[in-house]
Amino acid sequence: MKLSINKSRGLWWIVSSVIILAGIISMVISWQQLGSPLRPSLDFVGGTRLQFERDCSQTTNCATPIDINVVRDVAKAQGLGDSSIQVIADKETGKDNGVLIRTKTLTPEQRTQLQNAISEKIGAFDPQKNQIDTVGPTIGQELFRSGIIALVVSFLGIIIYMAVRFQWDYAVFAIVALFHDVLITVGIFSILGLVAGTEADSLFIVALLTITGFSVNDTVVIYDRIRETLKINPNLSFAAIVDDAVNQTLARSINTTLTVLLTLLAIFLFGGETLHNFALALIIGFTAGAYSSIFIASTLLCWWRERNGESALTNPTDSVDASADS
């Protein structure tokens, strides 16, 4: 069965527009509530991260599950009511015997006081498993600035590459597809930040950079096939050529994406707390990238060529090459 993606391109655009609009609305709400379009982690805003795990070698110490409301009450009593608190699984047993707290910067005395107060309520902690990290706001700002610069440089590099490799309209719509993928990833993370407390850390910037590379690679494969088909069949309508190119590369795109997603799903499920959000961002972005390469970048290019009455190559040298090949 062959897809005729251009017949339903309005549907593909509506699906993307709805998701992007929902993400933008979420980012506006998040900005009003948190002062940021995403829920920032300590990597960006600075503060203290404390991870405590109960000592289950002690009799009855882990007999009852941790009540997160009890931990919140203890934090509130310590003047830390706005802290982010999560119950996490013990790496050895897989049971929820740990607590992860992200809060403002604490002094050693405040950290010890908080630890002792929580330990009295939910059980003794294993000192060998406790983790405490402190990030200053200056470092967080520098990480954010460096990440944004890296994103801008990568986009500029992709624009130059696409403009040299293809015609300018190919490059424009490849960049539109990249913005599509980034907006969907950021938007969904913003929604998750509001409803599930999902935070964007420094690895989120790395994920966005990886997503742009993956997405443009898929788009280049389809654009290459469009250009080759144009040379062989210059008299076909551009819509038919695009549909044919997409169908020729569809199996490759699906197989590549599924293979990568299976690996990312394993990292998401078993990679630990540090890589959890990183893998989630890549899963969202790679899925959006495969979708945009097939249904957004190619259909937008077709719409533009039809709008301008172009059903064949606009580059004279390409027409000569096509004649020679035939």
Side-chain angles (χ1 to χ4, degrees), residues 45-72:
V45 298
T48 300
R49 174 183 175 275
L50 306 100
Q51 181 173 319
F52 304 129
E53 291 187 17
R54 293 190 296 189
D55 186 359
C56 294
S57 63
Q58 298 185 25
T59 307
T60 71
N61 195 49
C62 299
T64 58
I66 295 175
D67 188 345
I68 194 170
N69 292 319
V70 172
V71 180
R72 287 198 178 101

Side-chain angles (χ1 to χ4, degrees), residues 126-158:
D126 186 343
Q128 295 183 348
K129 296 181 180 179
N130 294 344
Q131 299 179 27
I132 299 175
D133 304 309
T134 300
V135 178
T138 302
I139 296 177
Q141 293 172 6
E142 182 62 30
L143 281 172
F144 178 76
R145 189 181 304 111
S146 299
I148 295 300
I149 292 174
L151 272 175
V152 171
V153 170
S154 68
F155 268 87
L156 289 175
I158 291 170

Side-chain angles (χ1 to χ4, degrees), residues 39-42 84 86 102 189 192-193 197-201 204 277:
R39 183 179 292 275
S41 73
L42 295 183
S84 172
Q86 294 175 270
R102 295 181 176 90
F189 249 72
L192 293 175
T198 303
E199 297 180 342
D201 55 16
F204 183 73
N277 289 347

Side-chain angles (χ1 to χ4, degrees), residues 169-187:
D169 50 356
Y170 284 77
V172 168
F173 294 119
I175 295 302
V176 170
L178 288 184
F179 275 111
H180 167 278
D181 303 338
V182 171
L183 281 174
I184 285 183
T185 306
V186 173

Side-chain angles (χ1 to χ4, degrees), residues 52-130:
F52 304 129
E53 291 187 17
R54 293 190 296 189
D55 186 359
C56 294
S57 63
Q58 298 185 25
T59 307
T60 71
N61 195 49
C62 299
T64 58
I66 295 175
D67 188 345
I68 194 170
N69 292 319
V70 172
V71 180
R72 287 198 178 101
D73 291 340
V74 173
K76 189 178 296 183
Q78 300 285 329
L80 305 172
D82 58 348
S83 302
S84 172
I85 302 173
Q86 294 175 270
V87 176
I88 60 174
D90 186 330
K91 294 180 181 179
E92 294 181 358
T93 64
K95 298 181 179 180
D96 292 337
N97 289 315
V99 177
L100 178 64
I101 302 172
R102 295 181 176 90
T103 185
K104 64 182 182 181
T105 303
L106 303 177
T107 64
E109 294 77 14
Q110 289 174 319
R111 296 199 297 260
T112 302
Q113 185 178 359
L114 178 61
Q115 178 180 346
N116 293 337
I118 296 175
S119 179
E120 289 177 3
K121 295 291 184 179
I122 66 174
F125 296 125
D126 186 343
Q128 295 183 348
K129 296 181 180 179
N130 294 344

